[in-house]
Amino acid sequence: MALTGLDIYKKLPQTNCGECGVPTCLAFAMKLAGGQAELTACPHVSEEAIVELEEASAPPVRIVTVGKGDREFKVGGETVLYRHEKTFVNECGFGVLIKADSDDGEIKAKAKQANELSFDRVGQTLRADLIAIKAVSDGARFAEVVKKVSGITDMPLVLISDDVDVIKGALECVADKRPLICAATKDNYEAMANLAKEKGCPLVVSEPSGLDALAELAEKVAALGIKDIILDPGADNGKDTLKNLTFIRRAALRQKFRPLGYPVITWPSNEEDEMMEAVLASVHVAKYGGIIILNDLEPWKILPLLVLRQNIYTDPQRPLTVEQGIYEIGSPNENSPVLVTTNFSLTYFIVSSEVETSKVPAWLCIMDSEGLSVLTAWAAGKFVPERIASFIGKCGISDKVKHSKLVIPGFVAQIKGELEEELPDWNIIVGPREATDIPAYLKKWSA
């Protein structure tokens, strides 16, 4: 059972030094109990206390790592039910299901598609995370397919079979890549747990008969020394899956119920209705799937899901930003227009996209506004004449152009006069208010 704030406080050094970022040890203890701080923030805590407080300071949903190397995938670690309360920590993962009895061409095509799938959106690369391989009947064929897929990609693998010997055979060639074993059931959990422990692999615990039975089975597996557990509550329909996902997350976060304090794997796959599969997957992204396995990764299906995941898992307290500097759009020369705006990622990508659409090469000066959009940055004193002038003077744009025309966003037209005083050598021009008007504006410039 999780310790209370007072229990934790008794084990802290009680120096009230403030080095953890909290004024008192009691306040720090309360944050630890609520999963809002990490024990490592205290520089004076003893080794004995660290051992005793490990459970209390751990996130209510355990972080589990699948795979190794550049493509390893972390899931879990969540501390809040709703993103606006703080933020979600580790993105849910998308995987594609490959059945071992499929023909080699289909297997290769699915694995290659998953490996190469990549989309760029507001400066981030969106891609799938795992490949799940399901044994159907032949253990030798399963091992062959696992080896084949492993040779195509470094993506983490999910090995699916209730037969311990089948999983053991496949692990011979991929155990060093730390695949996720799926699954331990009430009939095989001891053997599966021993195998997972021997190979150092995370393990799915599957029990479709109810959450009480799932929690009991997870406790039994944990007692055998398995810490990295993924839960599979199973369900016959979308309503029951959503109910299970919600109850599991609430039990872990609100009640600190450790047996359900693990990420969850879901299977929204629907071979008869691909649109319904996508709809169910979107529900699992929001509430509260950890690993979501799909039948395929066709762009029409996976791209909206990746964008939804990106939106949900973006920290609402930390706006996406791009680096301050001068960006070349097209191949600008000394006579090309110069525009300035903030480093809010969405602002940059919208403006740069519209400049590209205009076919007019331009210099886009991106100023650090701590990730705020134009109006918000202006209101917060981050995009004001003196700061803009300092940036333009230091960024080196004057060495790249012969003219002295600087285009500012139309929404801050009111700073034109002050900016002209700060930059007397520049002619300040008020640009369009809306980004969609930039192409027509720039075409007039070049006319």
Side-chain angles (χ1 to χ4, degrees):
M1 184 175 178
L3 298 178
T4 67
L6 288 176
D7 291 332
I8 297 173
Y9 173 69
K10 294 174 183 177
K11 300 179 185 299
L12 294 178
Q14 301 179 23
T15 59
N16 295 331
C17 65
E19 293 182 41
C20 62
V22 181
T24 67
C25 289
L26 180 59
F28 180 63
M30 294 299 180
K31 283 185 170 291
L32 276 176
Q36 299 173 342
E38 296 183 5
L39 188 59
T40 53
C42 177
H44 306 298
V45 66
S46 67
E47 291 297 327
E48 295 79 10
I50 289 176
V51 174
E52 293 182 42
L53 296 174
E54 183 179 8
E55 181 181 353
S57 61
V61 179
R62 181 176 176 82
I63 298 175
V64 177
T65 302
V66 184
K68 287 185 178 179
D70 295 338
R71 296 297 297 267
E72 75 172 19
F73 170 71
K74 292 183 183 293
V75 62
E78 305 306 335
T79 60
V80 294
L81 274 176
Y82 308 109
R83 187 189 74 140
H84 65 264
E85 294 178 312
K86 187 177 180 182
T87 186
F88 289 164
V89 180
N90 290 306
E91 290 184 339
C92 61
F94 293 108
V96 62
L97 180 64
I98 294 177
K99 295 180 180 178
D101 62 346
S102 301
D103 64 71
D104 290 346
E106 181 182 350
I107 291 171
K108 183 177 179 180
K110 274 193 171 184
K112 188 175 180 181
Q113 181 190 44
N115 188 56
E116 298 177 356
L117 184 77
S118 179
F119 303 96
D120 290 324
R121 184 174 184 267
V122 292
Q124 292 186 339
T125 300
L126 310 182
R127 61 187 183 183
D129 307 280
L130 310 102
I131 294 179
I133 307 171
K134 183 176 182 179
V136 178
S137 57
D138 187 347
R141 172 61 176 171
F142 180 59
E144 177 189 340
V145 171
V146 169
K147 185 176 182 179
K148 186 187 299 290
V149 172
S150 178
I152 295 174
T153 179
D154 290 330
M155 294 174 67
L157 301 179
V158 184
L159 308 183
I160 307 172
S161 176
D162 293 338
D163 190 320
V164 177
D165 291 332
V166 169
I167 294 291
K168 185 182 296 185
L171 282 175
E172 293 300 323
C173 58
V174 296
D176 60 327
K177 296 187 176 182
R178 206 170 189 270
L180 174 62
I181 298 173
C182 180
T185 66
K186 61 183 179 181
D187 297 322
N188 69 10
Y189 74 91
E190 291 187 12
M192 279 292 190
N194 290 333
L195 178 61
K197 187 175 182 180
E198 176 190 346
K199 300 297 185 181
C201 296
L203 179 63
V204 173
V205 174
S206 178
E207 178 50 71
S209 63
L211 296 187
D212 289 338
L214 179 65
E216 182 180 348
L217 183 58
E219 279 190 299
K220 290 178 179 179
V221 171
L224 293 173
I226 304 300
K227 294 184 177 180
D228 292 334
I229 292 173
I230 304 287
L231 302 177
D232 178 11
D236 294 331
N237 56 67
K239 182 185 74 172
D240 289 341
T241 299
L242 176 58
K243 180 184 71 174
N244 288 339
L245 290 171
T246 304
F247 282 1
I248 288 171
R249 181 61 63 89
R250 286 183 175 274
L253 268 59
R254 294 285 192 253
Q255 302 171 20
K256 309 298 182 185
F257 186 57
R258 285 295 183 187
L260 293 179
Y262 301 101
V264 181
I265 189 170
T266 68
W267 315 85
S269 54
N270 189 320
E271 296 181 354
E272 297 180 359
D273 190 340
E274 291 189 84
M275 181 60 72
M276 181 55 67
E277 178 185 31
V279 170
L280 291 174
S282 69
V283 174
H284 299 173
V285 173
K287 303 229 181 232
Y288 294 97
I291 295 175
I292 302 166
I293 304 298
L294 303 169
N295 274 325
D296 59 69
L297 298 177
E298 290 303 312
W300 72 264
K301 182 189 300 180
I302 190 62
L303 179 55
L305 293 172
L306 291 170
V307 172
L308 175 64
R309 179 181 72 178
Q310 181 188 38
N311 290 338
I312 289 176
Y313 282 85
T314 297
D315 188 342
Q317 300 176 11
R318 296 183 181 179
L320 291 173
T321 65
V322 295
E323 187 176 350
Q324 175 174 282
I326 302 171
Y327 290 76
E328 298 182 14
I329 310 298
S331 299
N333 57 35
E334 58 191 15
N335 297 312
S336 298
V338 178
L339 300 87
V340 63
T341 190
T342 68
N343 74 329
F344 177 43
S345 185
L346 190 57
T347 296
Y348 165 75
F349 283 99
I350 289 176
V351 172
S352 63
S353 176
E354 294 296 343
V355 173
E356 288 178 357
T357 299
S358 74
K359 306 297 184 184
V360 177
W363 304 96
L364 184 55
C365 298
I366 298 298
M367 176 185 149
D368 184 5
S369 63
E370 300 181 10
L372 301 178
S373 60
V374 172
L375 276 178
T376 306
W378 168 74
K382 309 293 183 183
F383 194 65
V384 291
E386 54 269 28
R387 293 186 59 143
I388 297 173
S390 176
F391 165 62
I392 293 297
K394 295 177 181 178
C395 72
I397 187 62
S398 58
D399 298 327
K400 298 180 180 292
V401 295
K402 284 185 176 181
H403 65 84
S404 57
K405 298 177 181 179
L406 177 65
V407 181
I408 63 173
F411 275 111
V412 289
Q414 61 268 41
I415 70 172
K416 180 179 185 297
E418 292 182 60
L419 189 54
E420 287 175 334
E421 293 179 3
E422 296 286 344
L423 291 172
D425 296 331
W426 286 84
N427 177 20
I428 308 303
I429 301 173
V430 177
R433 291 170 62 90
E434 301 293 341
T436 52
D437 295 327
I438 288 177
Y441 175 84
L442 290 180
K443 287 175 182 177
K444 289 182 180 179
W445 175 293
S446 60

